[in-house]
């Protein structure tokens, strides 16, 4: 075990040439980041999760009820033993041949059977109230941590001149504010890592899981080798659009469509500007070029920059989805559904129609109307 630890904490990987871990030990004159500080994130992540449960129940839920957001879920499919057996034991998405067989067996038209399976799938969909509470928590935390980050950074020299991220590196003292900011962000991402398995599931679950992993690794990595100054720039920049997205979702769930549209436009502008403009031109410029000039490359420097480039790849992916939503909104006046949603929903009109024998009596919009948190009737779709 001692050999493994010695290999893992090899100074020639983590630190610039001629720098040792002994040089970064805490003294009476200066405090530096220590790897054991990261253990604080685990109890704090648990505390954040507990605060979230209290917040959603005693703050978010009353706000949702005040906005007339009900806890009602989607329309329940009428009981049918034959269809239920097919749904649970065979398939949730029957093909055309099976649909025709069920139609003859039940004396239902094919469209009614399709509608039943759609309603049955949607029964597992979370209520609008639950989605509102989740978004309100994320909005509140995102707004707090972004505000804290801005207040902290505006007092630092590296916000105004990124070369200060590398002057005297790695002998840069760790301040109380910087330590709190870093551990809080790390704890929040750890809480998301655990809660995402119980949160509302979406199509981009895998991408978000990767994002959380990269974020946790990047925060921990940059803290250990004292790249915390540039790390704060990355954190604050990526927090800038989150509150707007969650606010747009909340407006959507409350059916304030014009406010939702405005917030989504603001979110898209901030997201694309910060992630595709400021981040590569400002942050990646200093981590790749200014640091090379002032400090020089070393193994962990390469890993740090590769992680930042991976984050930028994810930024490009999400920007593509945002632009795709915007293009649909411009061309159709509304968006059928968020491309990251994994639940297809039918319109209220279709779902409320009783089963019948005439296949032409039912109409469908294939999920292009109805607001259930994944779909929007207006010009934006904002599920995360």
């Amino acid at each position: 075990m001692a050999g493994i630890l010695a290999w893992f904490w090899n100074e020639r990987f983590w630190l610039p040439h001629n720098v040792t871990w002994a040089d970064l030990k805490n003294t009476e004159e200066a405090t530096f980041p220590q790897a054991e500080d990261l253990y604080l994130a685990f109890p704090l992540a648990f505390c954040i999760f507990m605060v979230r449960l209290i917040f959603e129940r005693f703050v978010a839920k009353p706000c949702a009820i005040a906005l007339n957001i009900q806890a009602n879920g989607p329309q329940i499919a009428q009981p049918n033993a034959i269809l239920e057996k097919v749904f649970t034991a065979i398939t949730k998405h029957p093909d055309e041949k099976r649909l025709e067989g069920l139609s003859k067996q039940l004396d239902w038209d094919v469209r009614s059977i399709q509608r039943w399976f759609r309603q049955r799938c949607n029964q597992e969909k979370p209520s609008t109230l639950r989605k509102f509470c989740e978004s309100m928590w994320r909005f509140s935390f995102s707004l707090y941590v972004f505000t804290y980050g801005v207040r902290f950074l505006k007092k630092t020299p590296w916000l105004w001149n990124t070369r200060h991220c590398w002057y005297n590196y790695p002998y840069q003292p760790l301040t109380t504010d910087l330590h709190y900011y870093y551990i809080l962000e790390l704890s929040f991402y750890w809480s998301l890592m655990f809660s995402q398995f119980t949160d509302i599931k979406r199509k981009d679950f895998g991408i978000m899981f990767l994002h959380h992993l990269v974020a946790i690794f990047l925060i921990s990595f940059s803290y250990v080798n004292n790249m915390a100054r540039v790390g704060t720039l990355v954190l604050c920049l990526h927090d800038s659009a989150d509150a707007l997205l969650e606010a747009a979702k909340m407006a959507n769930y409350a059916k304030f469509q014009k406010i939702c549209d405005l917030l989504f436009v603001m979110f898209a502008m901030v997201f694309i500007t910060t992630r595709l403009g400021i981040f590569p031109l400002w942050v990646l410029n200093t981590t790749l070029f200014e640091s090379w000039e002032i400090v020089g490359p070393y193994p962990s420097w390469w890993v740090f920059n590769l992680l930042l480039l991976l984050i930028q790849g994810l930024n490009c992916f999400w920007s593509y989805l945002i632009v795709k939503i915007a293009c649909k909104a411009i061309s159709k006046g509304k968006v059928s559904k968020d491309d990251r949603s994994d639940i297809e929903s039918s319109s209220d009109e279709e779902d409320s129609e009783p089963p019948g024998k005439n296949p032409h009596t039912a109409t469908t919009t294939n999920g292009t109307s109805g607001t259930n948190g994944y779909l929007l009737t207006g010009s934006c779709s904002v599920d995360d």
Side-chain angles (χ1 to χ4, degrees), residues 265-334:
V265 170
M266 294 171 60
F267 158 74
M269 293 174 61
V270 172
F271 188 96
I272 293 174
T273 300
T274 55
R275 308 292 180 95
L276 300 188
I278 299 176
F279 182 67
L281 297 178
W282 188 47
V283 174
L284 291 182
N285 175 68
T286 192
T287 61
L288 287 170
F289 303 110
E290 292 179 348
S291 65
W292 182 295
E293 176 187 344
I294 299 172
V295 180
Y298 52 98
S300 69
W301 179 93
W302 289 102
V303 174
F304 181 70
N305 279 285
L306 285 173
L307 289 172
L308 290 179
L309 291 173
L310 178 57
I311 289 289
Q312 182 61 10
L314 295 175
N315 290 339
C316 292
F317 170 75
W318 282 311
S319 296
Y320 160 75
L321 293 182
I322 292 170
V323 171
K324 189 175 180 180
I325 291 169
C327 289
K328 285 183 180 180
I330 294 173
S331 62
K332 298 181 180 180
K334 61 183 177 181

